[in-house]
Amino acid sequence: MAGNKLIVLDALDKAKTQLYHFTAIVIAGMGFFTDAYDLFCISLVTKLLGRFYYTKEGALKPGTLPPNVADAVNGVALCGTLAGQLFFGWLGDKLGRKKVYGITLVLMVVCSVASGLSFGRSANGVIATLCFFRFWLGFGIGGDYPLSATIMSEYANKKTRGAFIAAVFAMQGFGILGGGIVALIVSSAFNNKYHPPAYQVNAKDSLPPQSDYIWRIILMFGALPAALTYYWRMKMPETARYTALVAKNAKQAAADMSKVLQVNIEAEEEKIERLAVEPSNSFGLFSKEFAKRHGLHLLGTTTTWFLLDIAFYSQNLFQKDIFSKIGWIPSPETMSAPEEVFKIARAQTLIALFSTVPGYWCTVLFIDYMGRFAIQLMGFFFMTVFMFALAIPYNHWIQKSHRIGFVIIYALTFFFANFGPNSTTFIVPAEIFPARLRSTCHGISAAAGKAGAIVGAFGFLYAAQSQDPNKVDAGYPTGIGVKNSLLVLGGINFLGMLFTLLVPESKGKSLEELTGENEDKSGDISEQTAGARTVPVPV
C-alpha cells in the first residue's frame, strides 16, 4: 500500500507512461539489438569461413569448418556470454546498475571491431584470434542481459512494466533481422562487383580473394549501434530502487527521480534506515531465508531458460543447415561464395521478418493483459506441438513439393518461442527477486539459459548428422538425424511447460509486493507518510 511504501518507489509505480520510459527502452533496447546481431550474425558467415580457409584444391565441394573449429566459432561467444552474465550480474548489485552499464557497452564495441580484424598467417591463426575476440564480445553481451532487464524493471510503472521490459528484449528480433539485411547488402555488393561463377564451374574463381572482407564487414558492423548509445547510457541516472534499497541513499534517490518524473519527491532517510534492518531486506543469496522465499522461483527461472535456449539456439544457429537438408538452400557447389552468403542471409531474414519479430511484439502487446505465466505456458505448448508436427512426418516434409509447408511450420516455432518463453524468461527474473539480489539472480537465470544454448550449439551440430555414414558432413561422426533431433527438441519444450509451473505470476504487482521488500513493521509509517506528497514541478 502507498502508506507503507517509500514515496519515490510509489511515484515510479504510479507514473504515467511518458518520454523517459521510451528513452530508457531505446537506450537499453539498442544494447539488445547489438547483442542479437553479434550472437547470431556468426551463423551467416560460417559457411564462408569454411570456403575461404578450408577448401582443398581439386575437391568436388567447397571446404567446410572442421567439427572442432565449427564448435569453437559457434560456441565461444556463448561461453563468454555465460561468464559475463554471472560476473556483471553480481557486479550490478555490488556497484550499481549504471556504473557497470557503460563497461559492457565499451567491451561490445571494441570486440566487435576486433572480431572483424582477426589476423594470422594461417587458417588456425585467424580462427584462434576470431574466437578470442568473440569470447570477450560475448562477455560484454552477457552483462547487458541482467543490467538492461533490471534497469528497465526498476524504471517502469507497475501497470505496463511487462510491456516495457518486453520492448527492450524485442529489439533482439530487430538485431537478428539487421544481421540478415547487412549480410544481404554486403554479399550482393561483392557479387555484383566481381561476378564470381559457381564452385562447380570454376572452383578458384568462385572464391575471389576479396570475399574475405565480407565476413569481416558483417561482424564489425555490430559495433555501430552500440557506440551510438554510449553517451545516453552514461547520462541515465542510477535507478531509485538501487539507490534507495541497496545503497540506502534517500536524498540521491529522491533527487534523481525528481528530475526524471518532473515532481518534487521527499527524501525519507529515517524510513530507509528502518527498512534496512528489517529481516526481509537483509538475507543473502545463500541463506535459508532466500531458499524459503525464492528458492523454487530461482529453480523455475533457471530451468525454463535452460530448456528454452537448447531449442531456441539450436534452431537459430543451425537453421541454414536445416534449410540445406530440405533443399531450401541449394548445394554449396552450385553457388559462389558471395551467393551462398546471400542465400543463407535471405532465408534467415525471411524467418526473422515473418515470425521472429512479430512474435516479440505480440508479447509486448499482450503481456500485461495475459500475464507472464499464460504466455510462457502457451509458447512452450505450441513449440512442442509444431516441433512434433515437423519431426513425426519428417519424410513427408523433405519432399520438394512440401518444403514450403516445412518452412511455415518451422517459422511458427520461432513465432511462439518469442510470443512465449524466449521473452518471458527474460522478463520474470527482473521482477521477482529483491533489489539487492535482482541483477545477480537475473544473471544466474540468464547464465542457465546460455548453458542451454551451449548444449544446443554443440549438441545439435553433431546430433543432426545423418545416421548414414555416407551422408554425414566432412569430419563428423554419424548422428541421430534431423528427424530424431527435432523429436528431442520437442520433448525439451514439453519439459519447459512442466517447469513453468514453478514460475510465479508478476502481472500488475509492484516489485516490492513481489519481493516482500519495503515492509516496515514499526507501525507508525502510515501516519508519517500520509501527508507526504509528490508535487509537480513547473516545466
Side-chain angles (χ1 to χ4, degrees), residues 371-438:
R372 288 70 160 151
F373 179 83
I375 287 178
Q376 183 161 311
L377 199 65
M378 174 195 71
F380 270 127
F381 172 77
F382 282 111
M383 288 174 71
T384 304
V385 169
F386 289 125
M387 202 64 78
F388 285 141
L390 289 174
I392 294 170
Y394 180 73
N395 293 329
H396 165 83
W397 294 121
I398 60 176
Q399 296 174 27
K400 192 170 184 178
S401 58
H402 300 142
R403 288 170 183 168
I404 296 300
F406 181 98
V407 172
I408 291 171
I409 296 177
Y410 188 70
L412 284 170
T413 64
F414 278 104
F415 176 82
F416 282 105
N418 296 310
F419 185 26
N422 192 44
S423 296
T424 54
T425 52
F426 174 80
I427 295 165
V428 174
E431 299 179 306
I432 63 175
F433 298 108
R436 66 189 178 281
L437 300 171
R438 184 169 292 133

Side-chain angles (χ1 to χ4, degrees), residues 30-31 34-35 38 101-117 133 136-141 219-231 233:
M30 286 309 292
T34 306
D35 296 348
D38 288 333
Y101 213 23
I103 299 172
T104 63
L105 205 64
V106 170
L107 200 54
M108 288 157 59
V109 171
V110 171
C111 292
S112 288
V113 174
S115 295
L117 298 177
F133 291 124
W136 291 108
L137 172 64
F139 194 70
I141 289 171
L219 295 186
M220 286 193 289
F221 188 85
L224 184 61
L228 291 175
T229 57
Y230 179 78
Y231 171 76
R233 279 200 181 190

